[in-house]
Amino acid sequence: MVYLTRREHFNGAHRLANPSWSEEKNVEVFGKCANKNWHGHNFDVFVTVKGTPNPDTGFIINAHDLAKIMKREIVERLDHKNFNMDVPEFQNVLPSTENVVQQIWKWVVPHIKGCQLHCIKLVETENIYVEYFGE
Amino acid sequence: MVYLTRREHFNGAHRLANPSWSEEKNVEVFGKCANKNWHGHNFDVFVTVKGTPNPDTGFIINAHDLAKIMKREIVERLDHKNFNMDVPEFQNVLPSTENVVQQIWKWVVPHIKGCQLHCIKLVETENIYVEYFGE
Amino acid sequence: MVYLTRREHFNGAHRLANPSWSEEKNVEVFGKCANKNWHGHNFDVFVTVKGTPNPDTGFIINAHDLAKIMKREIVERLDHKNFNMDVPEFQNVLPSTENVVQQIWKWVVPHIKGCQLHCIKLVETENIYVEYFGE
Amino acid sequence: MVYLTRREHFNGAHRLANPSWSEEKNVEVFGKCANKNWHGHNFDVFVTVKGTPNPDTGFIINAHDLAKIMKREIVERLDHKNFNMDVPEFQNVLPSTENVVQQIWKWVVPHIKGCQLHCIKLVETENIYVEYFGE
Amino acid sequence: MVYLTRREHFNGAHRLANPSWSEEKNVEVFGKCANKNWHGHNFDVFVTVKGTPNPDTGFIINAHDLAKIMKREIVERLDHKNFNMDVPEFQNVLPSTENVVQQIWKWVVPHIKGCQLHCIKLVETENIYVEYFGE
Amino acid sequence: MVYLTRREHFNGAHRLANPSWSEEKNVEVFGKCANKNWHGHNFDVFVTVKGTPNPDTGFIINAHDLAKIMKREIVERLDHKNFNMDVPEFQNVLPSTENVVQQIWKWVVPHIKGCQLHCIKLVETENIYVEYFGE
């Protein structure tokens, strides 16, 4: 079992606020992240798959195929987007990094063939990242 | 003459679009950066000052004083802000990184005493940065 | 189960030497790290917690609360300190990175509420780091 | 149980091509990596060992001893080498990163004493890395 | 005058050896870099241009146009290539990083319009880089 | 004229305090850096030289020769040392980074032959660095 990880990059805007709470409570809980006019980040996303190398290629997955999946399923959906406004899956779900990383798993997992999806890691700043292993 | 550089960090949202142009022309020129619903970045800002070390301290500037200036003049104005909507200086000026770096110079330069401001460097992503030397 | 990791930074000095050994044996085993006059490092510490996101906030822990815990329990104790001389826990314990990472776990674990402490990672240089998972 | 990781660095050239396939099929599967005249990378290799710190030293392994093992078993074999032509183990095995990481495990594991080899991580570019845990 | 820098990435193989010298002299001067079977690197290339921001766009150059120039003039010529064998300009010139950086300047400079090429920086490893300012 | 930069690394301890001042004044000016029991850093030092590539080698300086100079003149003097106590040049000079970078220039400049020393850059943390150009 070998693990292979590939990185992609996207930029986005979001706002953290619970619509059923008052503005005061949102600022108290989410601080500057509740700014009504949005803020944004450069996100790095790492997808890790695991499997046995194919004897003909030495690959557990062709990295070019994994790149295509990541660009189509993650980057096209999130890059230069406002997560709250432009992404259907976050219409009724807070786009916290914890929730975004789980959604990325759901987008990617049906497309991984011949090996298994192991982990999605989402880096929000150099000081914060989240990981999700599918359960 | 010794040069000292200090880094700070902020996150913000912006949109690149010329209000006197059509939506089509904005998308043609600014691409995904013209998204009406904003996008954002993690910005690193580097301020470089130059001078002669004080014989009593070995410092050209006390780094704690420089940190205070950078937090007050740059981070408080831009962190978790929408540059187009929340920052008065960008009401009528496009918040391109080229324009933001020049504005940061204007905010910082009056507060550097006992040495000279040399450069502002603004890093937008790991692939793009701008620098401004005051003229 | 989502994993969230936050980074903090501190600088410190230490010396590696077993007080029951001769100077020669200490230099033989610890090399330059046995320098009697100390040496130091910039340390990065990563704290990872795991849990289920709260549906109201999308958070497994409020990152600002985790930041406060890390500043109070780790940074205030170790930053700009001499681990051997200034930190009571290392009066009789060698402040190797292996021992420091276990001590950091002990300081942090009582303060993590509503989710679980998963890992402490301590990076000493770009070439060496240690991790501790609590057992 | 504490985990300690040490990094080393090497540069090498390789080519990905299955000798039983046509040139066309190799280009179709391996893309630019099939270039007949080779290409190369800066590789970072991370070796992780796990164990209980020795009470006399605070170490699970003396990092200088681990460095010697990594230089002799990994760097001397691969640095500034052509993996396909200069490394006997890749005469009949494709030097994909998946296969290289498993070979590094075989070279290193007999030399780890007093603690256990846990993981070999091999970073090919800032966007791709592989990990192997020995099974 | 604002300076804008954009990064691209490529991998390549090369060999340092003076064809008019003996094998011994080449090894003496170039060390492991003289390996007959090649070695390689991940290269980062940074192109810096300088100019006055256009009032309509806030840009000194459209970063997408600069990206296109860099991909066509640098990446397509050097990525996954053997500099000595695959690149006509290095048939009779040693592909040292010093010589490669000057050649990159020659490829890029005719395509920079509306602002000036200021610097090419070529990073060979995390420990070595070269810069060329056109004269 | 091509510029070549090489990096080396060292760890050290220091204390910032003016011996002619009271303890209170030292803490007021130098903050935590005045800790009597020292603190330390991982330092990266970058040496930049400039010159014309030699047509026989493509080099402005043989990087292995520059590495030897940097190890002998910088690393052996400062690595795992207490700058205040172990380094003669800082017996009567405050080892601020501004003063250390100028001292490194003095150590290195007599040994650069066939090209010119251009800059010493000393990185103290990821947030602070100093540069000295010899005058």
Side-chain angles (χ1 to χ4, degrees), chain D:
Chain D
M1 199 71 114
V2 178
Y3 294 71
L4 178 136
T5 300
R6 206 182 170 289
R7 184 182 75 129
E8 279 291 341
H9 187 85
F10 57 91
N11 308 314
H14 69 161
R15 181 198 180 203
L16 297 185
N18 186 323
S20 64
W21 288 353
S22 68
E23 189 62 17
E24 288 70 27
K25 177 138 193 210
N26 275 316
V27 169
E28 184 196 320
V29 172
F30 296 106
K32 291 182 294 185
C33 297
N35 176 17
K36 265 188 287 200
N37 292 334
W38 322 100
H39 69 281
H41 296 289
N42 303 332
F43 291 92
D44 273 324
V45 59
F46 295 80
V47 172
T48 302
V49 297
K50 62 183 172 187
T52 308
N54 178 324
D56 284 342
T57 61
F59 289 164
I60 58 171
I61 191 170
N62 189 316
H64 294 289
D65 296 339
L66 181 55
K68 269 188 225 160
I69 294 168
M70 291 175 70
K71 280 174 183 152
R72 190 185 65 222
E73 300 299 327
I74 307 171
V75 178
E76 286 184 18
R77 279 176 161 113
L78 298 177
D79 190 33
H80 283 78
K81 295 288 167 62
N82 182 310
F83 299 167
N84 307 62
M85 297 175 78
D86 296 329
V87 183
E89 288 83 350
F90 298 117
Q91 297 307 303
N92 301 306
V93 175
L94 266 169
S96 66
T97 44
E98 288 94 329
N99 285 338
V100 175
V101 78
Q102 292 180 82
Q103 183 57 54
I104 291 174
W105 178 284
K106 286 183 204 155
W107 286 329
V108 170
V109 71
H111 304 284
I112 302 298
K113 319 270 191 206
C115 60
Q116 282 175 267
L117 184 56
H118 175 67
C119 181
I120 308 287
K121 178 179 175 179
L122 185 60
V123 181
E124 192 180 84
T125 72
E126 63 184 16
N127 294 324
I128 295 262
Y129 64 83
V130 296
E131 291 162 297
Y132 183 59
F133 296 84
E135 55 187 29

Side-chain angles (χ1 to χ4, degrees), chain F residues 21 31 33 38 46 63 73 85 89 93-94 109-111 115 123:
Chain F
W21 288 353
C33 297
W38 321 99
F46 295 80
E73 300 299 327
M85 297 176 79
E89 287 84 350
V93 174
L94 266 169
V109 70
H111 304 284
C115 60
V123 180

Side-chain angles (χ1 to χ4, degrees), chain F residues 111-123:
Chain F
H111 304 284
I112 302 299
K113 319 268 192 206
C115 60
Q116 281 175 266
L117 184 56
H118 174 67
C119 181
I120 308 287
K121 178 179 176 180
L122 184 59
V123 180

